[in-house]
Amino acid sequence: MKGLTQGGIVVNSDSNRCEANIRPYRMVIELDRERVRESGYDLDEVQALIDQICAACGSIKIGSHIYAGKGRDNDCATMGRIVKHLRKKQWFWDTVKVWQLQFPHDFLDLDKEYREAVLK
């Protein structure tokens, strides 16, 4: 069965895995609008801050919630820098809904991996 393309990512309906067409490292960061509101933050400001952090770390925004490497050898390190910065921010944990790192043939649910360790 053919995969569906969404934001440059081919979603394989057979395996529920994502494969990047051009850039193998991608990060999905989606905010929970309700949590943003309940936490007293402005959605546009929080999104702009995430955009700034990701750009400063060397990624590019390729979709409303998708940040990618530039197709270079250091793309993995770029994603690591983003994780390093965001995992320390309480405002991020207060507002994040989806946080995933996507590799060419797999993904890591960062929200699940880090939430317990950071929020202890």
Side-chain angles (χ1 to χ4, degrees), residues 9 20 23-30 47 50 53-54 57 59-69 75-87 92 96 98-103 107-108 110-111 114:
I9 298 175
R23 295 176 180 88
Y25 292 97
R26 295 165 183 248
M27 188 170 291
V28 177
I29 303 172
E30 184 178 348
Q47 188 62 59
I50 290 172
I53 289 170
C54 291
C57 290
S59 73
I60 56 175
K61 189 170 185 175
I62 61 171
S64 60
H65 308 293
I66 303 172
Y67 304 86
D75 283 351
C76 184
T78 296
M79 297 298 129
R81 284 190 294 276
I82 295 170
V83 170
K84 176 184 168 188
H85 288 285
L86 291 178
R87 72 184 179 96
F92 179 73
V96 70
V98 176
W99 190 28
Q100 295 178 340
L101 179 56
Q102 299 175 342
F103 302 97
F107 78 96
L108 176 62
L110 294 166
D111 183 43
Y114 282 102

Side-chain angles (χ1 to χ4, degrees), residues 3 11 13 16 21 24 33 38 40 45 48 53 55 73 76 80 90-91 96 100-101 104 109 112-113 116 120:
V11 180
S13 54
N16 292 328
N21 291 334
R33 291 178 182 273
E38 289 173 358
E45 289 178 9
I53 289 170
D73 290 341
C76 184
Q90 186 61 45
W91 57 262
V96 70
Q100 295 178 340
L101 179 56
D109 189 341
K112 181 179 177 183
E113 294 291 323
E116 284 188 16
K120 283 184 180 179

